[in-house]
Amino acid sequence: EAGVTQSPTHLIKTRGQQATLRCSPISGHTSVYWYQQALGLGLQFLLWYDEGEERNRGNFPPRFSGRQFPNYSSELNVNALELEDSALYLCASSLGSFGHEQYFGPGTRLTVT
Amino acid sequence: QQQVKQSPQSLIVQKGGISIINCAYENTAFDYFPWYQQFPGKGPALLIAIRPDVSEKKEGRFTISFNKSAKQFSLHIMDSQPGDSATYFCAASKSTSGTYKYIFGTGTRLKVLA
């Protein structure tokens, strides 16, 4: 069974630009979560999507946004990039909304110069 | 109240030794406590998880001990191997509240010496 996949693996952008990161969940999983892992820090919750709806968001500015498509894949958009947005962005998926384990993808390394 | 405090930040253990990583939480509504293992350049992988209705869960060389009254839980890695060298994250969540999300600890970098 294929795991969570993310693309691209690496992304280099300039300050002020926009970045789009993509995630495909495990087949059958309907919930997708996005986390930011800055260098040397833990994982910070960004967004949670379930059945196409945004269910919860972490303490991040509105320039972090996303969506979930009918096939449950998801996209994270970061507008007006700042240097401190440089991080590993991880996507996870779970079978449903409540009480289900989250399985992570390999991440997208975003570098803002 | 949403924090999960993890210690130590780094740990060096001899091969065959026991690695112990501790986490403490504040929110008594948390009811699911997973541990993740992350190798460099990879996403975190679910290792083992526990719910507060049990005090201990064992899977192979990995054991979670849970102390509900102290609001603490720990990961024990028995017979630690060089291949266990990775960063370990604890997490906590409220699985039934409708705001289902993980709160992660800051991670412990484990190095097992051969």
Side-chain angles (χ1 to χ4, degrees), chain A residues 33 35 37 42-43 45 48 56 90 97-102 104-106, chain B residues 32 36 38 42-44 46 51 89 95 98-102 104-106:
Chain A
Y33 312 81
Y35 293 86
Q37 186 175 28
L43 289 81
F45 169 74
W48 167 33
N56 201 0
L90 292 159
S97 302
F98 307 116
H100 295 283
E101 293 85 359
Q102 295 183 20
F104 283 82
Chain B
Y32 180 68
Y36 283 84
Q38 186 177 29
K42 304 285 188 182
L46 179 64
R51 296 187 185 276
F89 292 94
S95 65
T99 58
Y100 184 55
K101 64 180 181 182
Y102 285 5
F104 280 89
T106 51

Coordinates of all heavy atoms in Angstrom, one line a residue, chain A residues 33 35 37 42-43 45 48 56 90 97-102 104-106, chain B residues 32 36 38 42-44 46 51 89 95 98-102 104-106:
Chain A
Y33 N -3.6 16.5 7.3 CA -3.1 17.5 8.2 C -1.8 18.0 7.7 O -1.0 17.3 7.1 CB -2.8 16.8 9.6 CG -3.9 16.0 10.1 CD1 -4.1 14.7 9.7 CD2 -4.8 16.4 11.1 CE1 -5.1 13.9 10.1 CE2 -5.8 15.7 11.6 CZ -6.0 14.4 11.1 OH -7.0 13.6 11.6
Y35 N 1.7 20.2 8.8 CA 2.6 20.6 10.0 C 3.8 21.3 9.4 O 4.3 21.0 8.3 CB 3.1 19.4 10.8 CG 2.0 18.7 11.6 CD1 1.2 17.7 11.0 CD2 1.7 19.0 12.9 CE1 0.2 17.0 11.6 CE2 0.7 18.4 13.6 CZ 0.0 17.4 13.0 OH -1.0 16.7 13.7
Q37 N 7.8 22.0 10.3 CA 8.9 21.7 11.2 C 10.1 22.5 10.8 O 10.8 22.3 9.9 CB 9.2 20.2 11.0 CG 10.3 19.7 12.0 CD 10.6 18.2 11.9 OE1 10.4 17.6 10.8 NE2 11.0 17.6 13.0
G42 N 10.2 21.4 17.0 CA 9.3 20.4 16.8 C 8.3 20.6 15.7 O 8.4 21.6 14.9
L43 N 7.3 19.8 15.6 CA 6.3 20.0 14.6 C 5.1 20.9 15.1 O 4.6 20.7 16.2 CB 5.7 18.6 14.3 CG 6.5 17.7 13.5 CD1 7.5 16.9 14.4 CD2 5.7 16.6 12.7
F45 N 1.4 22.4 14.3 CA 0.2 22.1 13.6 C -0.2 23.3 12.8 O -0.3 24.4 13.3 CB -0.9 21.7 14.5 CG -2.3 21.7 13.9 CD1 -2.6 20.6 13.0 CD2 -3.2 22.6 14.2 CE1 -3.9 20.6 12.5 CE2 -4.5 22.6 13.6 CZ -4.8 21.6 12.7
W48 N -5.9 21.3 9.3 CA -6.6 20.0 9.2 C -7.8 20.1 8.3 O -8.6 20.9 8.4 CB -7.0 19.6 10.6 CG -7.9 18.4 10.6 CD1 -8.0 17.3 9.8 CD2 -9.0 18.2 11.6 NE1 -8.9 16.5 10.2 CE2 -9.6 16.9 11.3 CE3 -9.4 18.9 12.7 CZ2 -10.6 16.4 12.0 CZ3 -10.4 18.3 13.5 CH2 -11.0 17.1 13.1
N56 N -9.8 22.8 11.3 CA -9.1 23.5 12.3 C -7.8 24.0 11.7 O -7.3 23.5 10.7 CB -8.7 22.5 13.5 CG -8.4 23.2 14.8 OD1 -8.5 24.4 14.9 ND2 -8.1 22.4 15.8
L90 N 5.3 19.1 6.5 CA 4.9 17.7 6.5 C 3.4 17.6 6.4 O 2.6 18.3 7.0 CB 5.3 17.0 7.8 CG 6.8 16.9 8.0 CD1 7.2 16.7 9.5 CD2 7.3 15.6 7.2
S97 N -11.9 11.3 11.1 CA -11.6 12.5 11.9 C -11.2 12.3 13.3 O -10.3 13.0 13.9 CB -12.9 13.4 12.0 OG -13.4 13.7 10.7
F98 N -11.7 11.2 13.9 CA -11.5 11.1 15.4 C -10.9 9.8 15.7 O -11.2 8.7 15.3 CB -12.9 11.2 16.1 CG -13.6 12.4 15.7 CD1 -14.9 12.3 15.1 CD2 -13.1 13.7 16.0 CE1 -15.6 13.5 14.7 CE2 -13.8 14.8 15.7 CZ -15.1 14.7 15.0
G99 N -9.9 9.9 16.6 CA -9.3 8.7 17.2 C -8.5 7.8 16.2 O -8.3 6.7 16.5
H100 N -8.0 8.4 15.1 CA -7.3 7.6 14.2 C -5.8 8.1 14.1 O -5.5 9.3 14.1 CB -7.9 7.6 12.8 CG -9.3 7.0 12.8 ND1 -9.5 5.6 12.8 CD2 -10.5 7.5 12.8 CE1 -10.8 5.4 12.8 NE2 -11.4 6.5 12.8
E101 N -4.9 7.1 13.9 CA -3.5 7.4 13.8 C -3.2 8.3 12.6 O -3.8 8.1 11.5 CB -2.7 6.2 13.8 CG -2.7 5.3 15.0 CD -3.9 4.4 15.1 OE1 -4.7 4.4 14.2 OE2 -4.0 3.6 16.1
Q102 N -2.3 9.2 12.7 CA -1.8 10.0 11.6 C -0.5 9.4 11.0 O 0.4 9.1 11.8 CB -1.6 11.4 12.0 CG -2.9 12.1 12.5 CD -2.6 13.6 12.9 OE1 -1.6 14.2 12.5 NE2 -3.6 14.1 13.6
F104 N 2.6 10.1 8.3 CA 3.2 11.2 7.7 C 3.9 10.9 6.3 O 4.4 9.8 6.1 CB 4.3 11.8 8.6 CG 3.8 12.6 9.7 CD1 3.3 12.0 10.9 CD2 3.7 14.0 9.6 CE1 2.8 12.7 11.9 CE2 3.2 14.7 10.7 CZ 2.7 14.1 11.8
G105 N 3.9 11.9 5.5 CA 4.7 11.8 4.3 C 6.1 12.2 4.5 O 6.5 12.6 5.6
P106 N 7.0 12.2 3.5 CA 8.4 12.6 3.6 C 8.7 14.1 3.8 O 9.7 14.5 4.2 CB 9.0 12.0 2.4 CG 7.9 12.1 1.4 CD 6.7 11.8 2.1
Chain B
Y32 N -5.0 10.6 23.8 CA -4.3 9.8 22.9 C -2.9 10.3 22.8 O -2.6 11.5 22.7 CB -4.9 9.8 21.5 CG -4.3 9.0 20.5 CD1 -4.3 7.6 20.5 CD2 -3.6 9.6 19.4 CE1 -3.7 6.8 19.6 CE2 -3.0 8.8 18.4 CZ -3.0 7.4 18.5 OH -2.4 6.7 17.6
Y36 N 6.5 9.1 17.8 CA 7.0 9.1 16.4 C 8.5 9.0 16.4 O 9.2 9.6 17.2 CB 6.5 10.3 15.6 CG 5.1 10.2 15.2 CD1 4.0 10.6 16.1 CD2 4.7 9.7 13.9 CE1 2.7 10.5 15.7 CE2 3.4 9.6 13.5 CZ 2.4 10.0 14.4 OH 1.1 9.9 14.0
Q38 N 11.7 9.7 13.8 CA 12.1 10.4 12.6 C 13.6 10.3 12.2 O 14.4 10.7 13.1 CB 11.7 11.9 12.6 CG 11.9 12.6 11.3 CD 11.4 14.1 11.4 OE1 11.4 14.7 12.4 NE2 10.9 14.6 10.3
K42 N 13.5 12.2 6.5 CA 12.3 11.5 6.4 C 11.2 12.1 7.2 O 11.4 12.9 8.1 CB 12.5 10.0 6.8 CG 13.7 9.3 6.2 CD 13.3 8.9 4.8 CE 14.3 8.0 4.2 NZ 14.0 7.6 2.8
G43 N 10.0 11.7 6.9 CA 8.9 12.1 7.7 C 8.8 11.3 9.0 O 9.3 10.2 9.0
P44 N 8.1 11.8 10.0 CA 8.0 10.9 11.2 C 7.2 9.7 11.0 O 6.2 9.7 10.2 CB 7.2 11.9 12.2 CG 7.4 13.3 11.6 CD 7.5 13.1 10.1
L46 N 5.0 6.6 12.8 CA 4.3 6.2 14.1 C 5.0 4.9 14.6 O 5.2 3.9 14.0 CB 2.9 5.9 13.8 CG 2.0 5.4 15.0 CD1 2.0 6.5 16.1 CD2 0.6 5.1 14.5
R51 N -3.5 5.0 25.1 CA -4.6 5.7 25.6 C -4.6 5.7 27.1 O -4.1 4.7 27.7 CB -5.9 5.2 25.0 CG -6.0 5.4 23.5 CD -7.3 5.0 22.9 NE -7.3 5.1 21.5 CZ -7.4 6.2 20.7 NH1 -7.7 7.4 21.4 NH2 -7.4 6.2 19.4
F89 N 9.7 11.9 18.8 CA 8.7 12.9 19.2 C 7.6 12.3 19.9 O 7.0 11.3 19.5 CB 8.1 13.7 18.0 CG 9.1 14.5 17.3 CD1 9.8 14.1 16.2 CD2 9.3 15.9 17.7 CE1 10.7 14.9 15.5 CE2 10.2 16.7 17.0 CZ 10.9 16.2 15.9
S95 N -8.9 13.1 21.1 CA -9.4 12.4 19.9 C -10.9 12.5 19.6 O -11.4 12.1 18.6 CB -9.0 10.9 19.9 OG -9.7 10.3 21.0
G98 N -13.5 17.0 18.4 CA -13.8 17.7 17.2 C -12.8 18.7 16.8 O -12.8 19.4 15.7
T99 N -11.8 18.8 17.6 CA -10.6 19.7 17.3 C -9.4 18.8 17.2 O -8.3 19.1 17.7 CB -10.4 20.8 18.3 OG1 -10.2 20.2 19.6 CG2 -11.6 21.7 18.4
Y100 N -9.6 17.7 16.6 CA -8.6 16.6 16.6 C -7.3 17.1 16.0 O -7.2 17.3 14.8 CB -9.1 15.4 15.9 CG -8.2 14.2 15.9 CD1 -7.7 13.7 17.1 CD2 -7.9 13.6 14.7 CE1 -6.9 12.5 17.1 CE2 -7.1 12.5 14.7 CZ -6.6 11.9 15.9 OH -5.8 10.8 15.8
K101 N -6.2 17.3 16.7 CA -4.9 17.7 16.2 C -3.9 17.2 17.2 O -4.2 17.0 18.4 CB -4.8 19.2 16.0 CG -4.9 20.0 17.3 CD -4.8 21.5 17.0 CE -4.8 22.3 18.3 NZ -4.8 23.7 18.0
Y102 N -2.7 17.0 16.7 CA -1.6 16.6 17.6 C -0.9 17.8 18.1 O -0.6 18.7 17.4 CB -0.6 15.7 16.8 CG -1.1 14.3 16.6 CD1 -2.3 13.8 16.9 CD2 -0.2 13.4 16.0 CE1 -2.7 12.5 16.6 CE2 -0.6 12.1 15.7 CZ -1.8 11.7 16.0 OH -2.2 10.4 15.7
F104 N 2.8 18.3 19.6 CA 4.0 17.6 19.6 C 5.0 18.2 20.7 O 5.0 19.4 20.9 CB 4.7 17.6 18.3 CG 4.2 16.6 17.3 CD1 3.1 17.0 16.4 CD2 4.7 15.3 17.2 CE1 2.6 16.1 15.5 CE2 4.2 14.4 16.3 CZ 3.2 14.8 15.5
G105 N 5.8 17.3 21.3 CA 6.9 17.7 22.0 C 8.0 18.2 21.1 O 7.9 18.1 19.9
T106 N 9.0 18.7 21.7 CA 10.1 19.4 20.9 C 11.1 18.4 20.3 O 12.0 18.7 19.6 CB 10.8 20.4 21.7 OG1 11.2 19.9 22.9 CG2 9.9 21.6 21.9

